Amino acid sequence: MTAASPADGGDTPAAPPDAPPGRRFEPDLRSMTRINLRPIASPMPLGFFTIAIASVMTGCLQLGILGEEARAAVAFTVLPAFVLQLLVSVLAFGSRDVIAATLMAVFAGSWLPYSLVMLSGAADGLKVLGVFNMALLCFGVLMAAVTRPKRALWLVLVVSVPRWAATGLAGVTGAEWLTRVSGALGLVVALVAMYTAFALMLEDMRSEQVLPIGRSGPAHLAVEGDLAVQLRNLERQAGVRRTL
């Protein structure tokens, strides 16, 4: 083995005997690399509480508890849900939870067009929202297929999917009974989301599970495992590796 040159400060690694002349060998950078993690408070309770409140408002409108003249007022109360859930999504991306971040971002994106259409009274607005909700239905089915270990997210999706289906069909067909069904399902979504948010808040405050959420697999290890489990394969995660 060839020793490192003193001119290099002894940092250049020795080259193998059969190496081509003039070829440079980089040092092993693993011992020089530091990955800094910044813990943040979980944004998920805020996201679920926002889903619950917005679902109550839209559900009451669909059920007729709030009259048609209240559409604009409901739209104004739902509009902040877009900002809040977008914030939750950004924080979830920073926490390296792509599933939660994607779900919250799409929920945020669903409240904005709803509010704008209701406020503007655009022609065929309900039919357009119906098609939009059918697209959300496809998204929800795909997300539900990968979120089962995160049982809290999965449960909210499971009750949201039939609501998106009912809302979409109601908008496309104009069937009043489907609108009522969608409103009732909206209240169910609110109950599930409210329970999940409360359970996550208690868990965060006491550093242990208080109310059952039903995590399994990697989601369970993320809470019950030690720090070594959390840092496993960190170098392959987005934001650390060179390309997404």
Side-chain angles (χ1 to χ4, degrees):
M1 301 290 284
T2 303
S5 169
D8 295 332
D11 292 333
T12 303
D18 56 347
R23 182 174 177 181
R24 182 179 178 182
F25 284 82
E26 297 292 339
D28 186 354
L29 299 179
R30 287 176 295 183
S31 61
M32 309 178 193
T33 303
R34 297 292 182 270
I35 299 174
N36 297 317
L37 302 178
R38 183 179 63 181
I40 64 171
S42 173
M44 299 309 294
L46 173 61
F48 286 123
F49 274 129
T50 303
I51 292 174
I53 295 170
S55 296
V56 167
M57 299 307 300
T58 56
C60 288
L61 182 63
Q62 291 174 312
L63 287 170
I65 298 174
L66 300 174
E68 289 296 313
E69 65 279 3
R71 279 193 175 190
V74 170
F76 274 120
T77 61
V78 170
L79 187 57
F82 161 71
V83 179
L84 292 175
Q85 291 207 267
L86 185 61
L87 172 64
V88 172
S89 174
V90 171
L91 294 174
F93 275 120
S95 300
R96 301 174 292 121
D97 193 334
V98 66
I99 293 178
T102 302
L103 181 64
M104 290 298 163
V106 172
F107 267 110
S110 69
W111 301 126
L112 181 61
Y114 174 85
S115 299
L116 295 179
V117 169
M118 291 293 104
L119 286 171
S120 66
D124 287 333
L126 292 179
K127 183 173 290 187
V128 171
L129 287 178
V131 175
F132 179 71
N133 276 276
M134 296 303 290
L136 284 177
L137 171 64
C138 297
F139 160 80
V141 170
L142 293 175
M143 285 292 291
V146 298
T147 58
R148 191 160 187 175
K150 293 176 172 289
R151 199 59 57 87
L153 295 175
W154 183 76
L155 286 174
V156 173
L157 275 172
V158 164
V159 292
S160 295
V161 164
R163 193 200 183 189
W164 286 330
T167 305
L169 291 174
V172 172
T173 64
E176 186 66 23
W177 69 273
L178 282 172
T179 301
R180 304 299 186 198
V181 169
S182 176
L185 290 172
L187 298 183
V188 175
V189 171
L191 287 173
V192 174
M194 193 77 72
Y195 169 84
T196 303
F198 184 63
L200 289 175
M201 287 189 69
L202 283 178
E203 181 180 88
D204 191 66
M205 290 172 60
R206 302 188 184 182
S207 300
E208 62 180 1
Q209 181 173 286
V210 180
L211 296 176
I213 297 178
R215 291 188 183 92
S216 62
H220 176 74
L221 291 176
V223 176
E224 301 295 336
D226 56 19
L227 186 60
V229 173
Q230 300 301 299
L231 300 181
R232 188 177 300 163
N233 296 325
L234 181 63
E235 68 275 10
R236 297 183 179 86
Q237 297 184 10
V240 178
R241 62 179 186 263
R242 177 175 294 180
T243 63
L244 297 177

